Amino acid sequence: MTTNRPRATVLVVDDTPENLLVLGALLQSSYVVRAANSGERALEVASSAPKPDLILLDVMMPEMDGYECLRRLRANPQTQDIPVIFVTALNAAEDEQRGLELGAVDYITKPVRPAIVLARVHNHLDMKRARDWLRNQNHVLEAELNRFLEILAHHLQEPVRRQFTFAQMLQRALPKPLNDSAEVSLAQIMDGATRLRAMLHDVLLYLSVHQLPPPSAPCSAIEAFSAACAQVSDKIVASGAEVNQGALPPVWIAKDQLTDVFRALLDNALDYCRPDRPPRLWVAGETKDGEVVLSLTDNGIGIPAEYRER
């Protein structure tokens, strides 16, 4: 059975023209072959269309050796997933170990044996196709799961609202004073409805992050946190909580989204406080490697050890 699958593209990188010719002639009957005679040129070719499906990379090259070239390939989101096979005259065990530790998928020593090169190129391209297929399937499944969660969260909001409303009506309608058992039961019903409503809100918040367009400008995290505190001010006052704020750098996110994130964190900290002490909350942020890391610390009951990995 024949297929119409397009031919894979292989990038051959070597500073010696004869090596480029040998590998090119060996591969060109089965693959689209691109060539680069330096590490710098390899980085340019790997980032341009047609992007290679596999790279055969020499190690000993002037200016930028293969190890540094591979490090830069892995650091670039456009090229970090391209499998790289080192093809080199370095045949010591420590050289091979270093190459594999840096992220190469295989290591072939020169002089090359054509059958070995063809077999390994074929195998690694097959594995890449399998990984790509799994990644695409994961994206499809993730989209379907998000859609299911969105429908579920929307449909559950009304029953939860009715549960809370009718529990309040029942509490007002029953003759007073209620016995201890009735008081506890009604309180648990309303508390459960409140927590479920908060969970549904968090699910919708999580889904909305992936659906809204990216912001056009950074927002003030300080303003977003102040808005979140205003939204839960009744809880803060009722619990006697002390809320402290450290440095909060601007964040590339819609202000409403960041406000919702802060509110979810505040709600969680205030809901799970210790009964024997007033809540103490501290929010701060810092920039690490171009990303903003926000943290909220509290003196609450914490997360049980068996759930921390989740």
Side-chain angles (χ1 to χ4, degrees):
M1 181 176 66
T2 61
T3 66
N4 294 323
R5 187 170 62 191
R7 294 203 303 172
T9 299
V10 178
L11 170 60
V12 181
V13 186
D14 201 303
D15 63 312
T16 303
E18 291 79 4
N19 291 335
L20 291 177
L21 288 173
V22 169
L23 288 172
L26 178 63
L27 299 168
Q28 64 183 359
S29 62
S30 302
Y31 309 106
V32 176
V33 179
R34 305 186 71 187
N37 59 4
S38 68
E40 198 68 50
R41 178 58 181 160
L43 297 177
E44 295 175 3
V45 175
S47 301
S48 62
K51 195 167 76 169
D53 299 291
L54 178 71
I55 298 175
L56 300 181
L57 179 61
D58 187 22
V59 174
M60 295 185 294
M61 296 184 293
E63 298 180 9
M64 182 191 302
D65 65 16
Y67 295 136
E68 175 62 17
C69 183
L70 177 57
R71 188 190 67 78
R72 296 196 189 185
L73 287 167
R74 291 291 174 261
N76 184 348
Q78 290 184 306
T79 59
Q80 63 184 6
D81 294 327
I82 302 174
V84 173
I85 298 176
F86 275 130
V87 182
T88 176
L90 298 175
N91 57 9
E94 55 268 25
D95 295 319
E96 182 174 356
Q97 179 181 354
R98 182 184 178 189
L100 296 175
E101 287 176 349
L102 285 171
V105 298
D106 210 338
Y107 196 95
I108 300 174
T109 57
K110 298 175 182 176
V112 298
R113 288 176 289 173
I116 295 298
V117 172
L118 290 174
R120 294 190 179 182
V121 167
H122 174 80
N123 289 340
H124 285 293
L125 285 172
D126 272 354
M127 286 189 283
K128 181 182 184 298
R129 277 189 287 267
R131 287 194 300 270
D132 291 345
W133 182 85
L134 287 173
R135 187 182 299 114
N136 291 336
Q137 290 299 109
N138 284 341
H139 290 161
V140 171
L141 291 173
E142 183 179 0
E144 292 179 353
L145 177 60
N146 286 344
R147 179 58 181 159
F148 170 75
L149 289 174
E150 184 178 12
I151 293 172
L152 185 65
H154 277 296
H155 282 280
L156 285 178
Q157 286 185 92
E158 177 59 18
V160 171
R161 186 192 66 78
R162 290 170 63 86
Q163 176 186 339
F164 187 84
T165 299
F166 282 107
Q168 285 183 318
M169 292 173 61
L170 186 60
Q171 186 180 47
R172 289 193 295 265
L174 289 173
K176 304 296 188 295
L178 297 176
N179 61 52
D180 291 344
S181 177
E183 284 281 10
V184 170
S185 296
L186 284 171
Q188 288 181 343
I189 292 172
M190 288 189 288
D191 180 66
T194 301
R195 291 180 185 276
L196 183 53
R197 186 164 53 186
M199 291 172 62
L200 294 174
H201 173 269
D202 290 346
V203 169
L204 293 173
L205 172 62
Y206 167 79
L207 295 172
S208 71
V209 170
H210 302 280
Q211 295 170 353
L212 294 178
S216 58
C219 81
S220 168
I222 295 174
E223 293 179 4
F225 183 66
S226 297
C229 287
Q231 292 177 8
V232 296
S233 58
D234 290 346
K235 274 189 176 182
I236 293 174
V237 172
S239 63
E242 177 185 313
V243 182
N244 299 295
Q245 176 191 312
L248 291 174
V251 185
W252 279 90
I253 189 175
K255 182 181 175 182
D256 289 344
Q257 284 182 289
L258 187 56
T259 300
D260 281 342
V261 170
F262 278 133
R263 175 170 180 169
L265 292 172
L266 289 168
D267 271 331
N268 188 71
L270 294 169
D271 285 342
Y272 294 95
C273 59
R274 294 181 182 273
D276 58 339
R277 68 184 72 171
R280 297 290 181 265
L281 283 63
W282 174 263
V283 66
E286 60 179 328
T287 301
K288 287 183 178 180
D289 300 325
E291 294 184 339
V292 174
V293 180
L294 301 173
S295 62
L296 189 142
T297 306
D298 63 69
N299 63 342
I301 61 175
I303 301 173
E306 62 268 26
Y307 297 121
R308 288 174 188 168
E309 291 301 320
R310 302 184 186 180

